[in-house]
Amino acid sequence: MHSPYAPHKAFDEGYIQVSELYKLHDTQSGNPKGKPVEQRLTSHRHGGPGSGAGLKDTVFFDPEVFRVIVFSQRGAGKSLPSGEIRENTTCDLVEDIEKIREKLGIQKWLVFGGSWGSTLSLVYAESHPERVAGLILRGIYLADDAETQWFYQTQTKAYFPEEWEEFASIIAPEKRHNIIYAYNELLHYPDKAIREKAARQWTIYESSCYKLIQDPDYADRAGRDPTIWAKTVIEAHYFLHNSFFEDGFIISEAQISKIRHIPCYMVNGRYDVCCPPHTANKLRRAYGEQSKITWIPDAGHTAMEKGTMTELSKIRGVPMDDPAIVAEAQEIRRYDQWQEQNDSSGIFSFITTARLRKRMFHVFVPMLAVQLSGIALLTIYAVIIYQSLGLTTQKASLLLNSCLSIAYAVAALLSSYVVEKLGRRTCITYGSLVNTLGLACITGIAIGTENNRSNVANGFVVFFIVFITFSYWMLWTGPTTIYVNEIMPSHAREYGVAMANVVPIAIGIAIGQKLPLASANLGAKSYSILLAMSAFGTLLVWIFVKEPKGLSIERIDALFGEHDHVDEQEDQVQAQEVQYAEEIQHDQDEKKGSDVKHLEDLSHVRSA
């Protein structure tokens, strides 16, 4: 390993449904917080087409600086269905990337891709230039037919003759003039063994040619990968259709002019026989001044060779004097200045500032719901168990307390994992719903068996008590704490969280003092009060709680109907500048008109 960074651990992993047919696998790793110096985001495009991507591809990125999004295209890697080629074109992939960006709430990201990933990165940038902060490309492939033929048909076999002969050996001699077409037939052959053999031969040939210094173990491991059929069938599909655009499309003036303002860093092995260096040079000439290329003198095609990996890891940390970083720092500074002028961090700011009042309300709602449900649980625990079920012996009480303690410990361990997997709003909503349904079951059992309580009924009540306690700690209290901390602005978080707890706790204490007495007087019918409290909390959560998971500061602002105050400030400055320019132009026009009239008057005088 020649990168200073180890593969990251994902803080978020899952699937996104991009069409009726496809679900794409995506992961997020690195720093999820989006602090000022960490607001740059990176999206990684894998090779292939069809190779898939995973956390092994995160070694180029500083996990303290970047939030890294890695995903596999349609049919590739862990995306589903595997190896599917229907509705699988470059245009589909570009729109999938946009759906991922929108899902994650990212305004702009740094795009990284190698080999086919460089192709897809360029096409995406040309389709959505406003969403791309920069391009970092490796092993440039522009998807022209001549490039594809270079590797599979015409040129690479001059450097790796034995490997190409082995590659071509399973194809009949009369079909070798179009070897990709011939392989595509074998990859769709009815006999599974033939399909797998073709996929293995294809993959071993590719892997044998990727490195400057051949690594037989590397090729052998690639040939034994269980996903190679899916990868090769997608590759053949794209190559046969010329990646679904005409030769020269990417670097045509109509396309490349859309992205010439975007910084583009390229890295290419000097001895890359898969994506030859002249392709990268062709892109550099078309791209212009904003592009820079670094040639690796001791590397072929793969990103995992020492020189290539070292260079890619080096340029992940963009220099601090880079124009994009300078612009970002200026925006952060302007936001801080705006915040100092417009946002008070004192305790009374939650009363005097409209945007903080709105946040406080949305924080107050789930905290109140948690308190209401907590009171219901404590009342059940204190009254229902000991009075109604008759668990008055020390042995019975100890047994129940042990069950609840175990439930609490397991719930606490699972809470962080579940909240990152499902999202804040989903956890809080599910937690409140489960508690309400559990209380409904307890209420029904208690009222129905009030005069004839059996051990079976008691057992069901105890089960539901343990179950909803587990749900309360795992799905409700932990996610609520995370939610409250995320949506409160950092400068006012301490006061905000404290104030959000004061009122719900006060309400909880007031209600909690009365409920045991009401339960003693009303008997089992009092459980309906607890059920109503929990149902009311669920309704509040369903209406008011929003989902901040994985969103940028700007998107969290947007959730609450706010906007980017820095942009607003800039718009005001620009509007003032335009107004000032118009006034100057107006004065100049008036002066010009006055001068013309004066000349006309002089002309009349001379004529007279």
Side-chain angles (χ1 to χ4, degrees):
M1 183 70 67
H2 307 291
S3 170
Y5 314 118
H8 302 181
K9 291 183 179 179
F11 66 79
D12 182 43
E13 182 175 7
Y15 288 87
I16 175 171
Q17 192 83 39
V18 293
S19 73
E20 292 184 2
L21 181 59
Y22 288 101
K23 289 197 298 185
L24 301 194
H25 179 260
D26 70 304
T27 64
Q28 294 190 76
S29 63
N31 193 319
K33 298 300 183 182
K35 295 177 182 178
V37 75
E38 294 133 2
Q39 283 181 340
R40 287 167 283 167
L41 298 116
T42 301
S43 173
H44 175 72
R45 314 277 187 261
H46 57 73
S51 295
L55 293 175
K56 68 182 187 302
D57 299 301
T58 61
V59 295
F60 309 109
F61 312 105
D62 184 346
E64 297 297 322
V65 175
F66 292 97
R67 170 185 168 196
V68 184
I69 296 94
V70 178
F71 62 91
S72 297
Q73 72 173 70
R74 295 187 177 200
K78 294 182 180 179
S79 293
L80 300 173
S82 179
E84 180 59 68
I85 59 174
R86 291 175 296 166
E87 301 173 24
N88 198 336
T89 70
T90 305
C91 288
D92 292 322
L93 305 188
V94 167
E95 292 314 304
D96 291 348
I97 296 169
E98 266 299 274
K99 290 174 183 176
I100 292 172
R101 183 193 63 77
E102 291 172 355
K103 172 201 170 189
L104 299 178
I106 297 168
Q107 295 299 311
K108 220 173 207 185
W109 50 8
L110 186 63
V111 178
F112 175 96
S115 195
W116 161 253
S118 71
T119 315
L120 189 54
S121 296
L122 287 163
V123 176
Y124 171 76
E126 291 174 347
S127 301
H128 301 278
E130 73 284 358
R131 300 303 181 189
V132 180
L135 289 164
I136 295 180
L137 311 176
R138 188 268 313 161
I140 311 304
Y141 175 60
L142 298 178
D144 290 349
D145 184 59
E147 294 176 75
T148 308
Q149 295 303 317
W150 166 288
F151 185 59
Y152 293 98
Q153 192 78 51
T154 59
Q155 301 297 325
T156 298
K157 64 182 179 181
Y159 302 95
F160 293 92
E162 294 173 338
E163 288 74 13
W164 192 87
E165 287 173 4
E166 184 67 23
F167 173 57
S169 65
I170 65 171
I171 304 298
E174 65 273 14
K175 293 185 176 183
R176 291 180 188 174
H177 66 282
N178 192 342
I179 205 163
I180 293 176
Y181 183 85
Y183 255 95
N184 188 62
E185 290 183 332
L186 295 181
L187 291 169
H188 291 89
Y189 201 77
D191 189 332
K192 182 180 179 182
I194 292 177
R195 296 199 304 269
E196 291 180 345
K197 182 178 181 180
R200 187 166 54 254
Q201 289 287 92
W202 178 298
T203 304
I204 289 175
Y205 168 69
E206 287 183 334
S207 303
S208 299
C209 305
Y210 278 165
K211 293 187 175 184
L212 175 61
I213 307 299
Q214 280 189 301
D215 183 353
D217 291 339
Y218 177 77
D220 182 60
R221 287 195 305 273
R224 288 186 280 108
D225 189 326
T227 66
I228 56 174
W229 179 82
K231 169 188 174 294
T232 50
V233 79
I234 292 172
E235 273 193 296
H237 168 66
Y238 273 78
F239 292 155
L240 285 175
H241 293 88
N242 210 42
S243 297
F244 301 92
F245 46 77
E246 297 178 354
D247 285 356
F249 172 78
I250 292 175
I251 58 173
S252 65
E253 184 59 28
Q255 292 300 114
I256 202 72
S257 61
K258 298 175 183 177
I259 60 172
R260 282 204 178 104
H261 63 286
I262 298 173
C264 178
Y265 301 90
M266 292 178 275
V267 175
N268 217 99
R270 178 65 72 183
Y271 300 100
D272 188 342
V273 297
C274 176
C275 298
H278 67 78
T279 302
N281 199 48
K282 184 163 47 173
L283 175 61
R284 181 190 62 80
R285 290 199 308 269
Y287 206 109
E289 294 180 357
Q290 284 284 58
S291 66
K292 176 185 176 182
I293 188 165
T294 298
W295 302 104
I296 309 301
D298 57 352
H301 180 67
T302 176
M304 299 304 170
E305 290 175 282
K306 180 179 179 180
T308 304
M309 180 173 282
T310 301
E311 184 61 29
L312 287 172
S313 301
K314 188 189 304 179
I315 64 174
R316 308 286 346 117
V318 181
M320 292 307 294
D321 60 352
D322 183 275
I325 303 304
V326 172
E328 181 182 358
Q330 290 172 344
E331 179 170 358
I332 292 166
R333 192 176 301 114
R334 287 194 296 270
Y335 182 79
D336 289 341
Q337 291 170 350
W338 180 91
Q339 203 171 57
E340 289 176 4
Q341 296 169 3
N342 296 273
D343 265 358
S344 169
S345 59
I347 193 166
F348 294 107
S349 63
F350 293 93
I351 300 172
T352 59
T353 308
R355 64 192 295 264
L356 293 182
R357 285 200 302 270
K358 187 181 295 183
R359 298 290 182 100
M360 177 56 67
F361 175 75
H362 283 86
V363 165
F364 171 80
V365 166
M367 295 299 292
L368 177 61
V370 165
Q371 286 296 323
L372 293 176
S373 183
I375 293 164
L377 283 174
L378 287 173
T379 303
I380 288 173
Y381 186 75
V383 178
I384 299 177
I385 293 174
Y386 291 105
Q387 292 184 8
S388 300
L389 299 186
L391 298 179
T392 57
T393 66
Q394 184 177 4
K395 183 178 178 180
S397 300
L398 183 61
L399 178 61
L400 184 60
N401 283 330
S402 298
C403 292
L404 292 174
S405 297
I406 292 171
Y408 169 74
V410 174
L413 289 172
L414 292 177
S415 182
S416 296
Y417 171 79
V418 172
V419 73
E420 290 298 334
K421 198 75 174 175
L422 298 180
R424 284 67 166 148
R425 183 181 189 278
T426 302
C427 281
I428 296 170
T429 305
Y430 283 179
S432 60
L433 188 61
V434 167
N435 277 30
T436 300
L437 294 175
L439 284 169
C441 293
I442 291 173
T443 302
I445 294 171
I447 293 175
T449 61
E450 184 175 13
N451 298 321
N452 186 22
R453 183 66 55 81
S454 66
N455 289 333
V456 174
N458 290 344
F460 273 111
V461 170
V462 170
F463 167 78
F464 281 116
I465 289 171
V466 174
F467 178 71
I468 63 178
T469 300
F470 177 80
S471 165
Y472 177 78
W473 287 110
M474 183 177 73
L475 294 176
W476 207 341
T477 56
T480 298
T481 303
I482 295 172
Y483 172 81
V484 167
N485 278 276
E486 282 185 340
I487 68 173
M488 292 304 298
S490 58
H491 70 286
R493 186 165 295 148
E494 291 182 5
Y495 285 131
V497 174
M499 291 181 65
N501 277 285
V502 169
V503 176
I505 289 175
I507 293 173
I509 292 173
I511 297 176
Q513 295 293 321
K514 303 295 183 183
L515 276 177
L517 183 61
S519 298
N521 293 333
L522 298 176
K525 293 182 177 61
S526 65
Y527 306 161
S528 58
I529 299 175
L530 307 179
L531 174 60
M533 286 169 51
S534 185
F536 178 67
T538 300
L539 183 63
L540 290 177
V541 166
W542 183 266
I543 295 173
F544 294 108
V545 173
K546 301 173 183 294
E547 177 56 77
K549 176 188 176 185
L551 297 185
S552 63
I553 294 171
E554 290 82 0
R555 282 296 296 274
I556 291 178
D557 288 347
L559 279 177
F560 296 95
E562 299 170 13
H563 51 274
D564 192 326
H565 301 285
V566 174
D567 286 349
E568 180 189 48
Q569 195 176 47
E570 291 176 348
D571 291 343
Q572 290 174 351
V573 171
Q574 290 177 2
Q576 290 173 357
E577 290 176 350
V578 170
Q579 183 179 358
Y580 180 64
E582 289 176 347
E583 289 175 356
I584 292 175
Q585 185 65 43
H586 178 70
D587 292 343
Q588 290 176 344
D589 290 344
E590 284 189 345
K591 185 176 183 303
K592 184 178 178 180
S594 176
D595 291 343
V596 169
K597 187 175 185 304
H598 180 62
L599 290 173
E600 288 176 350
D601 291 342
L602 287 176
S603 177
H604 287 313
V605 169
R606 286 173 182 170
S607 298

